[in-house]
Amino acid sequence: MPEPTLLILTALSAQPLHGYGIFQSVQLLSGGEVKLRPGLLFGALDRLDQQGLIAVDREDEVDGRVRRYYRLSNRGAAVLAAQPRPRAAAALRPSLAGGAA
């Protein structure tokens, strides 16, 4: 599994996040080495949703714009658990579970 995809799934394992929250979490998890461009991020989110690895959790309206939150699906959690994790993602995951992101 490509590292950006793995990092997206890892970010969503802590809590539902919107696109910018995912972007920030991926930067944190990768130590700043992975910076997803919006087109790449939202393309990946669409693909992961179609594959059943993530799902839309909810949508909120903020300043007249829809903010979509994504969550890790049960299938996504199983796939993530079966993947070897980058050292940075494995080390930071417990702190993300506490709500930081």
Side-chain angles (χ1 to χ4, degrees), residues 1-37:
M1 178 175 290
E3 184 178 23
T5 300
L6 183 59
L7 290 167
I8 291 169
L9 295 178
T10 301
L12 292 173
S13 69
Q15 63 188 346
L17 295 169
H18 55 77
Y20 188 66
I22 295 168
F23 171 82
Q24 290 177 312
S25 292
V26 166
Q27 279 192 300
L28 176 68
L29 289 167
S30 70
E33 291 189 22
V34 177
K35 294 181 182 178
L36 300 173
R37 293 182 316 276

Side-chain angles (χ1 to χ4, degrees), residues 76-92:
V79 168
L80 181 61
Q83 295 294 318
R85 298 207 182 153
R87 249 184 289 164
L92 290 173

Side-chain angles (χ1 to χ4, degrees), residues 12 15-23 41-43 45-46 49 54-62 65-71:
L12 292 173
Q15 63 188 346
L17 295 169
H18 55 77
Y20 188 66
I22 295 168
F23 171 82
L41 173 61
F42 289 103
L45 292 173
D46 286 343
D49 187 25
I54 66 171
V56 174
D57 186 67
R58 69 183 185 278
E59 292 181 345
D60 293 336
E61 188 174 323
V62 177
R65 296 178 60 180
V66 174
R67 182 178 285 172
R68 183 173 292 157
Y69 287 77
Y70 297 89
R71 65 174 169 76

